Amino acid sequence: MLDFIREHQLNIMQSLGSICFIISIFVLVTKTLSSKRKAALLMLEISAGILLFADRFAYIYRGDVSTLGFYMVRISNYLAFAITLLVILGVVLYLSDVLMHEGGLALRPFSLRLSVIMVWIGETLLIISQFEGLYYTFDETNHYQRAPLFILSYVIPLFILFLVLFALVRYRRLINRPVFISMILFVTAPGVASIAQVFFYGISLTNISFVGAAVMFYIFVIIDMNDAVERAHRIEVKSI
């Protein structure tokens, strides 16, 4: 499986990224989603698409010592790290809206508020890393090299995913089953891939799993919307 991913990685990235952009168009024209939920889903899908294309360009231009290669490798790697946190933020915001509306909570749960804070801490550290080389550097052949604190770039997203999982388990009775299943998949798949990524350098397991989970997330959102329409229809029929 790993050999297959390594061989076809660029094609997988392009296909999944394109699917996310297409899904974003569907989300944009959907009228059954609230404005906050639509914004969260758009952030999730657009970010997921950008994530894979950025990662794809990072692979294409690595080792390219031209001026274009110099900038493309640096911009693409920065986006790959930065956008990962925005993908997670999209799920956090979506879950927050579900819990505060369908769930009836007055405030966003503390674990999700902390998740948002951790996202911006992660983004800040990433910006600092561009100047101090905390997470990664580039050698004279324009190849990406892990720095001593690169593990922190995985720990922060994993910690945020743990906080989301905590909220899911604690408030599971307030979440519709399709949404709950989609979020469990979103949390667990990239979490496992992030751990594997530490040992399988050179394969974008984490990013591919994030985007795959984002695509599945949309499918389950559609299922949840259909269930809501059917419930509303049954209530309407009974009231006649």
Side-chain angles (χ1 to χ4, degrees), residues 199-213:
F199 303 98
F200 295 101
Y201 177 65
I203 306 177
S204 293
L205 295 176
T206 304
N207 292 342
I208 290 174
S209 64
F210 261 124
V211 177

Side-chain angles (χ1 to χ4, degrees), residues 66-153:
S66 67
T67 301
L68 176 62
F70 177 90
Y71 286 107
M72 286 298 295
V73 166
R74 282 155 180 77
I75 292 172
S76 298
N77 275 282
Y78 169 77
L79 288 175
F81 281 86
I83 297 297
T84 296
L85 292 169
L86 294 185
V87 172
I88 301 174
L89 180 60
V91 171
V92 171
L93 296 177
Y94 194 96
L95 178 58
S96 298
D97 191 71
V98 168
L99 292 176
M100 294 176 67
H101 287 83
E102 283 90 331
L105 298 182
L107 295 173
R108 181 185 296 169
F110 174 76
S111 58
L112 296 183
R113 280 181 280 151
L114 181 58
S115 296
V116 175
I117 293 172
M118 291 303 302
V119 166
W120 298 120
I121 289 176
E123 297 287 9
T124 301
L125 288 175
L126 179 60
I127 292 173
I128 294 173
S129 177
Q130 304 307 298
F131 303 96
E132 301 297 330
L134 300 179
Y135 292 167
Y136 57 84
T137 57
F138 298 94
D139 61 21
E140 63 279 0
T141 62
N142 206 28
H143 280 83
Y144 166 97
Q145 301 290 329
R146 287 174 171 175
L149 293 181
F150 88 95
I151 192 67
L152 192 60
S153 66

Side-chain angles (χ1 to χ4, degrees), residues 145-210:
Q145 301 290 329
R146 287 174 171 175
L149 293 181
F150 88 95
I151 192 67
L152 192 60
S153 66
Y154 289 98
V155 169
I156 291 177
L158 282 174
F159 180 62
I160 300 171
L161 291 176
F162 172 79
L163 292 172
V164 174
L165 180 60
F166 177 82
L168 284 171
V169 173
R170 182 176 182 182
Y171 299 104
R172 61 187 179 279
R173 299 182 186 278
L174 305 179
I175 307 171
N176 293 334
R177 185 171 181 177
V179 175
F180 180 79
I181 294 174
S182 67
M183 290 193 172
I184 287 294
L185 288 174
F186 183 89
V187 170
T188 55
V192 172
S194 294
I195 295 173
Q197 185 77 72
V198 176
F199 303 98
F200 295 101
Y201 177 65
I203 306 177
S204 293
L205 295 176
T206 304
N207 292 342
I208 290 174
S209 64
F210 261 124

